[in-house]
Amino acid sequence: MSELEIIRESLLNLEPEKLVESVKASLAKGVSPENIIDAITDALRVIGEKFERGELFLVHLVAAGEAAKNVISEYIEPLLKEKGRKSKIGRVVLGTVAGDIHDIGKNIVASMFFAAGFDVIDLGKDVPVQNFIEAVKKHKPNILGMSALLSTSLPAQREVIEALKKNNLREKVKVMVGGAPVTAEWAEEIGADGYAEDAVEAVRVALKLLGKEE
Amino acid sequence: MPTRLKGGQISFLSREDIEKIHNSTLQILSEVGMKSSSKRIIDFFSENGAEVNQDTGSIKIPESLVKEALKKAPNKVTIYGRDKKKAIELEDKLIYFGLGGTPTPYILDHKTGEWRRPGKADVVNATRLGEALPEMDFIMTIAGAFDVPYQVEYIHEWEAILSNTTKPVVYSAPGVFNSEKVVQMGKAIKGEELEKEPPFGVYVELASPLLFTVSNENIFILAENKVPIVIGQMPQLGATAPVTIAGAAVVSNCENLAALTLAQLINPGSPFVFGAYMGPLDMRTARLDYGAPEFAMGNILVSRLAEHYGLPTFGFGGCSDSKLPDAQAGAEVMMNSLIASLSGINLIHDCGYLAGGSIGSLEMAVICNEVVSMVRRIIKGFKVDEETLALDVIREVGPGGHFLSHPHTLKHVSTLHLADLFSKESEVKWAKLGKKDVRRKAKERVDEILSRHEIEDKVLNEKLREIVKQAEKEMLRGD
């Protein structure tokens, strides 16, 4: 089995320690960080597909996503930064909107984006409208993602979109919304560009919005 | 391997209640007795110390005979199936579920959605379905072979069932002729091991109230060959038994203990499965009410009486009075499957019965399979110990964290029930997938299972076909 296959296998088998070991071993042997990320992304894509088919559960998806995120941020990212490289896929700014402190779902989405090779800037939870605007100005993301779990915090998603328009930023970023009370109809009504039911679909929708569909 | 799962968590009968029913039963058996049109049965009881009247056919069975028989009957009965890895051990409130029951006059054709008269091919399909459904531990039927000469209908049905399942089978073989042929089939499967490893049990029903029929002479054949006799008495409340459940229980119990006494006198230690039910009669329609709460409660009665006697049990679950696999059917099958399991009935049969047993439905059997998986999850309960309390895990994650990726979660996540057929996806995804209701999904599952290639035991099937041919020769002579 090649180094990259071992990385792929250890993630598919949900073995975080083995994943770390195999990534370290690969780097020591001179495998490029880009190739390692590709192997990890590929394994996560397989896990995502299995989740969608019901063969794996949410917990497996999250465990794999977190394991991938940890190994990438600890061992791969520093190398990429040294080389001054940016993500070739895109950048996403994420946050749970003001008035809402539910962030587990948003965190899962963040790790899925991260593991798919996006640069992820996570603004956290209960994020005021103004913080979203400033983050878009500062980080110039391709995607802005907003999460809401409460029906009472849903309107904040609309407020952010309205504020983007006021600041002439709306055309510069694709807006995605998600969360339990969010529907495709709501996304359309408030003028969002995309909506997804779960974290796996969110990444797919984002890639589509950016014209990077597989 | 079938799950060894112990039910029996509920009862609303006290020890005194059970003793009252038992003592009343002994009283009726010795004072009123049974009656029979079978000379063989009357003579046999007479030779063995019962007080019989040859003119009226009355058989009064003294307490001593019944008590002696109860001592001889085994506490545990195992039905092995053709594949003994699938054996079910009937004892101690272990619960097992079975597809269907005795033949149904109609089948709900899953392809057309209309009901029609079933034929032998439907019995084959029903059996193949039952073989494939993981929650079904034993096989009866939800069809009937009404396209063969009626004199050999049961023989054909047995052949269709035994050729298409390796699971344990329970089925009817009324009368000496049918039971002899079925014993031959058993020998074709197990050879001289038939007594030790019976692949099937035979369902026997006396006529209520308190009658041994000529058909019941098959008890001789079955007991002699130690084929498990499975009783499912169902005197009807207010018609063939008192309208009160306790009174009907006495009638039903008399019929059970009379059959048990006969079997143990014929061959001490012959396997016997107890089933003293009573059938609620719907007073507006004069139909037996399979979805009634009283019918479900019969399981509690049977379980407690059998516990008193130390006998394995036969019971009802997965049956409905609805004519379609609809909401009524769902509610009724969940009620009776759950109550049967909470009662701790060993053989819970009738999964896939609609219209009170008049219509068999393959789709309904698939839905029952899902219901049974939910019932089993409830019966399993949950453990409270250091590992499951997970204090260290709670400490580690702390307020505001999440447990999704914790190794403890990954380790124990498989203990959660996982729906197989029922819709759990979001409404959006459900709509994308075609807005299928459960019946439509069940139909697709039936199609998928029946389209699979079957591996058959050609040698055995040929032997079974020979027995059918021979039976036709003997039975249809001169027709």
Side-chain angles (χ1 to χ4, degrees):
Chain A
M1 214 184 273
S2 79
E3 296 301 324
L4 290 173
E5 276 165 4
I6 296 170
I7 290 176
R8 200 169 167 275
E9 285 299 307
S10 53
L11 192 54
L12 287 175
N13 297 334
L14 296 178
E15 295 171 305
E17 290 89 10
K18 198 173 160 198
L19 176 66
V20 170
E21 289 314 310
S22 55
V23 165
K24 286 196 327 204
S26 301
L27 290 170
K29 285 192 184 169
V31 179
S32 82
E34 288 86 350
N35 286 346
I36 293 175
I37 288 200
D38 284 347
I40 290 175
T41 310
D42 182 53
L44 280 172
R45 187 180 48 75
V46 173
I47 289 170
E49 284 166 5
K50 286 189 175 181
F51 168 71
E52 291 194 313
R53 285 199 301 268
E55 291 165 29
L56 287 177
F57 305 159
L58 178 65
V59 293
H60 302 122
L61 181 72
V62 175
E66 287 189 358
K69 183 177 164 184
N70 292 340
V71 78
I72 291 173
S73 58
E74 192 161 341
Y75 299 99
I76 311 289
E77 265 201 339
L79 296 175
L80 293 177
K81 270 194 188 137
E82 263 173 42
K83 295 187 190 171
R85 284 199 200 142
K86 282 185 193 166
S87 162
K88 57 186 175 190
I89 297 189
R91 176 174 290 169
V92 55
V93 164
L94 291 172
T96 303
V97 296
D100 206 326
I101 55 148
H102 299 92
D103 64 350
I104 293 179
K106 183 263 299 166
N107 292 345
I108 296 171
V109 172
S111 43
M112 284 297 126
F113 271 112
F114 188 86
F118 281 86
D119 283 335
V120 178
I121 293 126
D122 188 345
L123 305 179
K125 56 195 171 187
D126 195 11
V127 178
V129 175
Q130 196 51 36
N131 292 19
F132 279 110
I133 302 303
E134 276 158 22
V136 171
K137 280 183 190 162
K138 182 177 165 196
H139 300 293
K140 301 187 169 51
N142 309 84
I143 304 272
L144 171 65
M146 291 182 280
S147 163
L149 186 94
L150 304 171
S151 53
T152 50
S153 60
L154 262 186
Q157 293 183 336
R158 188 202 300 267
E159 286 168 30
V160 172
I161 292 177
E162 293 308 314
L164 285 172
K165 287 182 192 159
K166 249 183 234 162
N167 289 275
N168 295 319
L169 293 167
R170 182 66 190 89
E171 304 311 317
K172 299 196 167 134
V173 67
K174 299 287 183 191
V175 177
M176 289 181 64
V177 289
V182 177
T183 62
E185 290 74 21
W186 167 254
E188 201 185 325
E189 184 190 323
I190 64 174
D193 301 299
Y195 151 77
E197 280 234 310
D198 59 50
V200 176
E201 198 187 337
V203 172
R204 197 162 43 228
V205 171
L207 291 171
K208 198 173 170 184
L209 288 174
L210 302 182
K212 289 181 182 172
E213 271 177 287
E214 284 160 42
Chain B
M1 286 252 257
T3 329
R4 271 181 73 92
L5 188 59
K6 198 170 158 179
Q9 290 82 353
I10 56 161
S11 173
F12 33 68
L13 287 162
S14 67
R15 222 191 139 68
E16 291 82 63
D17 291 340
I18 292 300
E19 273 165 17
K20 274 187 213 160
I21 294 171
H22 172 61
N23 292 332
S24 311
T25 302
L26 294 179
Q27 208 176 330
I28 295 293
L29 277 175
S30 62
E31 289 172 11
V32 180
M34 303 286 291
K35 210 170 171 181
S36 184
S37 48
S38 157
K39 187 156 168 36
R40 187 174 180 183
I41 292 175
I42 298 168
D43 287 348
F44 186 80
F45 267 112
S46 175
E47 286 156 23
N48 284 281
E51 185 193 323
V52 309
N53 181 325
Q54 293 286 358
D55 297 331
T56 61
S58 158
I59 306 166
K60 292 180 181 169
I61 307 173
E63 198 175 310
S64 56
L65 277 189
V66 178
K67 288 191 167 162
E68 204 49 42
L70 279 168
K71 272 187 220 151
K72 287 174 189 157
N75 306 131
K76 174 180 174 179
V77 172
T78 304
I79 303 179
Y80 288 82
R82 274 171 45 198
D83 177 358
K84 65 180 178 182
K85 287 198 290 292
K86 295 177 180 170
I88 50 178
E89 299 177 320
L90 317 179
E91 60 171 335
D92 198 19
K93 301 201 170 62
L94 294 177
I95 56 169
Y96 300 100
F97 278 86
L99 176 90
T102 50
T104 55
Y106 295 107
I107 187 164
L108 184 63
D109 187 315
H110 72 281
K111 287 195 190 298
T112 63
E114 301 292 329
W115 35 283
R116 59 169 170 78
R117 197 86 169 135
K120 190 173 181 182
D122 294 306
V123 181
V124 169
N125 283 345
T127 308
R128 288 181 55 201
L129 182 75
E131 175 76 358
L133 292 176
E135 303 292 341
M136 295 297 120
D137 302 309
F138 67 98
I139 304 296
M140 298 185 73
T141 202
I142 44 177
F146 299 123
D147 50 357
V148 302
Y150 71 93
Q151 300 94 326
V152 285
E153 177 207 327
Y154 281 100
I155 310 289
H156 277 278
E157 285 161 356
W158 273 95
E159 186 224 336
I161 295 171
L162 291 174
S163 308
N164 287 286
T165 185
T166 56
K167 289 181 180 179
V169 166
V170 176
Y171 206 56
S172 310
V176 168
F177 178 80
N178 282 328
S179 281
E180 278 176 346
K181 295 297 165 196
V182 166
V183 166
Q184 283 177 19
M185 289 185 177
K187 286 187 176 155
I189 295 167
K190 291 282 179 180
E192 291 313 307
E193 297 292 288
L194 177 62
E195 281 194 17
K196 262 193 242 161
E197 293 182 359
F200 48 70
V202 170
Y203 176 78
V204 172
E205 206 174 309
L206 280 60
S208 298
L210 307 171
L211 294 175
F212 275 113
T213 63
V214 173
S215 285
N216 297 142
E217 288 177 4
N218 67 348
I219 293 175
F220 285 94
I221 311 300
L222 301 171
E224 278 159 10
N225 288 283
K226 290 205 163 181
V227 171
I229 292 170
V230 179
I231 299 277
Q233 286 310 112
M234 229 187 329
Q236 301 185 354
L237 297 177
T240 50
V243 74
T244 45
I245 292 178
V250 172
V251 171
S252 193
N253 200 29
C254 282
E255 293 159 358
N256 266 267
L257 296 190
L260 173 110
T261 304
L262 177 59
Q264 299 309 316
L265 286 171
I266 294 164
N267 189 2
S270 58
F272 185 94
V273 182
F274 179 87
Y277 285 81
M278 59 277 144
L281 190 65
D282 186 287
M283 287 294 168
R284 279 170 304 196
T285 60
R287 299 259 300 190
L288 190 58
D289 195 350
Y290 271 61
E294 291 88 348
F295 196 42
M297 281 194 287
N299 288 302
I300 300 176
L301 173 80
V302 167
S303 172
R304 296 308 132 180
L305 278 170
E307 183 181 54
H308 187 69
Y309 298 141
L311 293 171
T313 52
F314 177 73
F316 294 79
C319 46
S320 169
D321 296 316
S322 181
K323 315 303 171 276
L324 298 169
D326 61 1
Q328 177 188 338
E332 289 176 347
V333 304
M334 177 47 93
M335 173 188 65
N336 48 39
S337 309
L338 188 57
I339 294 297
S341 301
L342 288 168
S343 307
I345 292 291
N346 299 136
L347 289 171
I348 304 170
H349 87 299
D350 271 349
C351 289
Y353 255 22
L354 292 177
S358 292
I359 302 177
S361 165
L362 277 66
E363 295 148 285
M364 195 61 214
V366 169
I367 295 169
C368 285
N369 187 72
E370 183 88 348
V371 168
V372 171
S373 78
M374 292 157 76
V375 166
R376 282 203 161 110
R377 177 63 193 91
I378 293 169
I379 299 296
K380 267 182 205 150
F382 56 86
K383 257 199 255 173
V384 180
D385 59 19
E386 199 181 334
E387 172 68 13
T388 62
L389 285 166
L391 294 192
D392 288 342
V393 182
I394 300 169
R395 256 183 219 116
E396 196 185 319
V397 172
H402 75 76
F403 298 82
L404 282 166
S405 56
H406 197 284
H408 183 269
T409 308
L410 294 175
K411 186 174 164 195
H412 293 283
V413 70
S414 63
T415 58
L416 299 176
H417 180 259
L418 207 55
D420 181 36
L421 187 74
F422 285 1
S423 166
K424 303 289 167 171
E425 69 278 342
S426 75
E427 55 290 347
V428 174
K429 193 164 181 198
W430 175 79
K432 262 188 213 157
L433 293 172
K435 299 187 180 180
K436 291 175 194 169
D437 71 354
V438 70
R439 183 176 173 190
R440 168 107 176 268
K441 282 161 79 177
K443 177 200 174 302
E444 289 175 1
R445 184 68 57 87
V446 172
D447 281 332
E448 186 268 314
I449 288 171
L450 296 183
S451 71
R452 287 182 204 163
H453 177 68
E454 288 300 304
I455 306 157
E456 50 174 356
D457 181 339
K458 287 197 173 124
V459 177
L460 173 67
N461 292 355
E462 189 47 46
K463 284 186 198 166
L464 297 177
R465 267 197 296 275
E466 267 312 308
I467 295 169
V468 175
K469 269 191 211 158
Q470 187 59 35
E472 289 196 329
K473 255 192 220 163
E474 292 168 25
M475 205 42 145
L476 306 177
R477 251 183 328 213
D479 274 22

